[in-house]
Amino acid sequence: GQHSCNVGLHGNEQCVMNVKLLSAECRCRDGYRRGMTNHCIRVDPCLTGQHNCSADFECVMTPSSFDCKCRRGYEAVGEGASARCVKIDFCLLGTHNCSDTTEQCHLHDGSFVCHCVQGHTRLETGRCVDINECGMTAPCHVDADCTN
């Protein structure tokens, strides 16, 4: 018989025979639902909670299904049900761009930030430079020699 289901290569409908009515009807394929325009639209398993990502992972929709990926600044350790996401320590690994002599690396929000070490200040150019405390108003006792 004839039907008007979108069953082609990228079709998201399937033609189903209704035996009681002896007619065919179009139904959305698994993972799709009928939208307001009467077309079958993809169901986002990440939004509907129809995924199996553990709490350590975030669900990311893909063209055919979904993936469980670690959030930014984390990496997967282990496999299968025992897999978990652990924070990447950019500072410990040395995978940061902080200056070894004038800055300290600090983990921040899935990444890192560079802070000037004590006795240094950040210029508008972004560089950390030494603060000459001896040039400040009376940093030392009057009988002492000031050394930067």
Side-chain angles (χ1 to χ4, degrees), residues 70-89:
C70 292
R71 297 182 198 311
R72 186 176 77 110
Y74 290 77
E75 63 184 348
V77 174
E79 292 186 24
S82 66
R84 57 191 179 92
C85 295
V86 294
K87 189 179 278 192
I88 300 170
D89 192 334

Side-chain angles (χ1 to χ4, degrees), residues 10-99:
H10 298 290
N12 45 26
E13 291 182 327
Q14 58 189 359
C15 184
V16 179
M17 186 66 180
N18 187 324
V19 180
K20 290 181 183 175
L21 299 175
L22 295 176
S23 65
E25 58 185 42
C26 300
R27 290 194 186 151
C28 295
R29 293 187 181 280
D30 287 344
Y32 291 82
R33 67 172 175 79
R34 187 95 30 216
M36 293 182 62
T37 60
N38 207 29
H39 290 89
C40 293
I41 57 173
R42 192 60 210 289
V43 173
D44 185 344
C46 299
L47 291 178
T48 61
Q50 296 173 322
H51 61 83
N52 59 355
C53 298
S54 70
D56 275 358
F57 293 85
E58 66 180 342
C59 180
V60 179
M61 189 169 148
T62 64
S64 60
S65 183
F66 67 90
D67 281 334
C68 301
K69 296 188 177 188
C70 292
R71 297 182 198 311
R72 186 176 77 110
Y74 290 77
E75 63 184 348
V77 174
E79 292 186 24
S82 66
R84 57 191 179 92
C85 295
V86 294
K87 189 179 278 192
I88 300 170
D89 192 334
F90 299 98
C91 301
L92 184 66
L93 294 172
T95 54
H96 58 81
N97 59 358
C98 300
S99 165

Side-chain angles (χ1 to χ4, degrees), residues 104-132:
Q104 280 185 325
C105 178
H106 296 275
L107 293 179
H108 178 71
D109 197 26
S111 187
F112 65 91
V113 292
C114 303
H115 293 291
C116 294
V117 295
Q118 186 173 0
H120 288 68
T121 187
R122 189 170 305 280
L123 299 176
E124 287 183 21
T125 61
R127 278 188 44 230
C128 292
V129 294
D130 181 57
I131 300 169
N132 183 355

